[in-house]
Amino acid sequence: MKSPFYTAEHDAFRDLLRRFVEKEIAPFAHEWDEAGEFPRDLYRKAAEIGLLGLGFPEEYGGIAADQFMRIVASQELARAGAGGVSASLMSHTIGSPPIARAARPEVKARVLPQVLAGEKISALAITEPGGGSDVANLHTRARRDGDHYVVTGEKTFITSGVRADYLTVAVRTGGEGAGGVSLLLIEGDTPGLSRTKLKKMGWWASDTATLHFDGCRVPAENLIGEEGQGFKIIMRNFNSERMGMAASCTAFARVCLDEAIAYAKERKTFGKPLAQHQVIRHKIVDMAQKVAASQAMLEMLAWRLEQGESPVAEICMMKNQATQTMAFCASEAVQIFGGAGFMRGIKAERIYREVKVNAIGGGTEEIMKDLASRQMGL
């Protein structure tokens, strides 16, 4: 449907990206999921059409992009129904913004052009084995030693953690609490860094890892921002991440809806197509209703962000709205497919396995509710 928020430029990029997904991702999504990875060359191909550079400074190879261009990118990628590919291919959208925003000029000039050209992979490392969303209480320690920091600790559930060339890592440089948290750029070949690949319920094509830092010496110039300012940078990063996740989840829900409609028209039971059974038609309408509501909320929030607002509570609620819509539509789609929905290879089955990671990543559903309530003064 036409929306007042999208211009001809948005539509042109949507067409370009749709062709890219149909040619370079969709035909291989199942194969890559089963293999547990996708070709590294996909980063370069994505960079060539401008996908990786969206929203980053032009001086480093980026492309100016508003909130709606980001929505287009997230939602067109989701059409392949391969969340693991999207997550790792776009891990730089959470790993590199802190670099672009707060790293030293020489670090930006060295790192960002390579990432945005698809030559290097960027990842964000915050979560630890002992805690996820409680960023203020992380334990990975970075001790200053001359012109280096010595980093010791662990990070886990890190998207692109296996292959990342650049890791934006939350560390403790000071005392307890948020004021002791800083960000460091740690290069993938740093001595003392080792990685353990993790197996997951979904997102099979996305490499996910536990990172082990055993006395890693990191140049002090790799500090992102000032010491003790890492928590603020991380929190700012979360808003963008949650909007991106909300856009993707709404689109994944729409993929489930589209697959369910197509199957319901084709599959016959009791002498007629599934779509002619009232109970199936009602399921499909319920799915369509939730997708439409989520998309409308998403676009209105994007418009408010473009006006300079910072609606943190609504962004948290938006993430929950989108993940709940995705969960509902994935479940109903698999139910409509019946036994076929339990078989590997269809988009709805993959998406069904990927529901929970979205409800957990970027801040759990429970934390989103608590943060939203605090923003509301409760």
Side-chain angles (χ1 to χ4, degrees), residues 226-354:
E226 301 297 325
E227 272 199 15
Q229 297 299 306
F231 185 83
K232 294 179 180 178
I233 300 172
I234 293 167
M235 290 302 105
R236 183 175 176 183
N237 211 43
F238 270 141
N239 282 338
S240 177
E241 178 182 4
R242 289 163 186 162
M243 282 293 289
M245 291 181 73
S248 294
C249 289
T250 301
F252 283 127
R254 182 180 290 111
V255 170
C256 291
L257 170 62
D258 291 343
E259 271 212 326
I261 290 174
Y263 187 76
K265 289 180 177 179
E266 172 189 312
R267 170 74 164 142
K268 290 185 177 181
T269 61
F270 302 100
K272 59 184 179 182
L274 273 178
Q276 290 184 17
H277 294 282
Q278 185 183 63
V279 66
I280 299 300
R281 294 201 304 270
H282 287 189
K283 284 179 179 293
I284 288 172
V285 170
D286 285 342
M287 293 165 70
Q289 176 182 316
K290 292 180 184 296
V291 170
S294 296
Q295 187 71 20
M297 184 177 181
L298 174 70
E299 291 178 352
M300 195 64 213
L301 269 179
W303 180 83
R304 290 178 61 185
L305 286 167
E306 286 296 313
Q307 308 313 303
E309 295 185 39
S310 183
V312 175
E314 289 86 349
I315 290 174
C316 292
M317 289 187 278
M318 176 72 253
K319 179 178 181 289
N320 283 357
Q321 168 72 18
T323 55
Q324 290 166 11
T325 295
M326 178 182 175
F328 178 85
C329 291
S331 179
E332 291 294 78
V334 169
Q335 190 72 19
I336 290 170
F337 270 86
F342 197 63
M343 300 296 106
R344 292 187 191 177
I346 67 169
K347 293 178 182 179
E349 181 270 334
R350 279 200 305 274
I351 293 170
Y352 187 77
R353 287 189 277 105
E354 297 172 354

Side-chain angles (χ1 to χ4, degrees), residues 122-203:
S122 168
L124 179 68
I126 295 177
T127 300
E128 298 185 349
S133 300
D134 189 7
V135 179
N137 289 311
L138 60 85
H139 297 288
T140 297
R141 172 68 62 176
R143 173 180 56 84
R144 186 67 182 260
D145 181 26
D147 58 358
H148 285 75
Y149 286 95
V150 180
V151 180
T152 302
E154 286 188 324
K155 299 292 179 179
T156 196
F157 311 142
I158 307 306
T159 300
S160 290
V162 176
R163 298 196 289 185
D165 302 288
Y166 295 113
L167 297 158
T168 299
V169 185
V171 295
R172 184 163 301 284
T173 53
E176 296 182 359
V181 176
S182 301
L183 279 176
L184 277 179
L185 175 67
I186 300 181
E187 302 196 22
D189 59 357
T190 300
L193 168 62
S194 59
R195 323 184 199 208
T196 303
K197 187 172 185 177
L198 302 175
K199 294 185 176 181
K200 313 175 293 297
M201 178 190 297
W203 277 11

Side-chain angles (χ1 to χ4, degrees), residues 7-259:
T7 66
E9 185 179 2
H10 295 113
D11 292 339
F13 183 66
R14 186 190 303 279
D15 291 342
L16 173 66
L17 188 49
R18 185 165 298 188
R19 292 194 300 271
F20 174 81
V21 170
E22 289 175 350
K23 178 184 177 183
E24 303 290 352
I25 300 178
F28 315 106
H30 176 63
E31 174 188 337
W32 292 344
D33 215 39
E34 295 293 328
E37 62 181 5
F38 60 88
R40 190 171 177 127
D41 190 51
L42 188 64
Y43 293 91
R44 180 189 56 77
K45 292 179 179 179
E48 288 175 353
I49 64 165
L51 176 60
L52 301 190
L54 285 182
F56 285 92
E58 294 182 41
E59 62 187 295
Y60 303 116
I63 300 171
D66 63 6
Q67 293 291 327
F68 296 99
M69 197 68 84
R70 293 185 177 96
I71 289 176
V72 168
S74 295
Q75 298 200 323
E76 287 303 314
L77 281 175
R79 289 175 63 87
V85 175
S86 298
S88 273
L89 181 63
M90 304 301 285
S91 64
H92 74 292
T93 62
I94 56 175
S96 290
I99 300 171
R101 188 174 297 125
R104 287 171 170 77
E106 58 272 23
V107 174
K108 294 180 185 181
R110 175 167 56 88
V111 172
L112 292 177
Q114 298 180 82
V115 171
L116 302 184
E119 298 168 359
K120 300 289 186 180
I121 298 172
S122 168
L124 179 68
I126 295 177
T127 300
E128 298 185 349
S133 300
D134 189 7
V135 179
N137 289 311
L138 60 85
H139 297 288
T140 297
R141 172 68 62 176
R143 173 180 56 84
R144 186 67 182 260
D145 181 26
D147 58 358
H148 285 75
Y149 286 95
V150 180
V151 180
T152 302
E154 286 188 324
K155 299 292 179 179
T156 196
F157 311 142
I158 307 306
T159 300
S160 290
V162 176
R163 298 196 289 185
D165 302 288
Y166 295 113
L167 297 158
T168 299
V169 185
V171 295
R172 184 163 301 284
T173 53
E176 296 182 359
V181 176
S182 301
L183 279 176
L184 277 179
L185 175 67
I186 300 181
E187 302 196 22
D189 59 357
T190 300
L193 168 62
S194 59
R195 323 184 199 208
T196 303
K197 187 172 185 177
L198 302 175
K199 294 185 176 181
K200 313 175 293 297
M201 178 190 297
W203 277 11
W204 294 350
S206 169
D207 67 81
T208 307
T210 294
L211 309 177
H212 313 271
F213 302 97
D214 185 11
C216 295
R217 293 185 65 82
V218 180
E221 67 178 22
N222 283 19
L223 180 69
I224 300 174
E226 301 297 325
E227 272 199 15
Q229 297 299 306
F231 185 83
K232 294 179 180 178
I233 300 172
I234 293 167
M235 290 302 105
R236 183 175 176 183
N237 211 43
F238 270 141
N239 282 338
S240 177
E241 178 182 4
R242 289 163 186 162
M243 282 293 289
M245 291 181 73
S248 294
C249 289
T250 301
F252 283 127
R254 182 180 290 111
V255 170
C256 291
L257 170 62
D258 291 343
E259 271 212 326

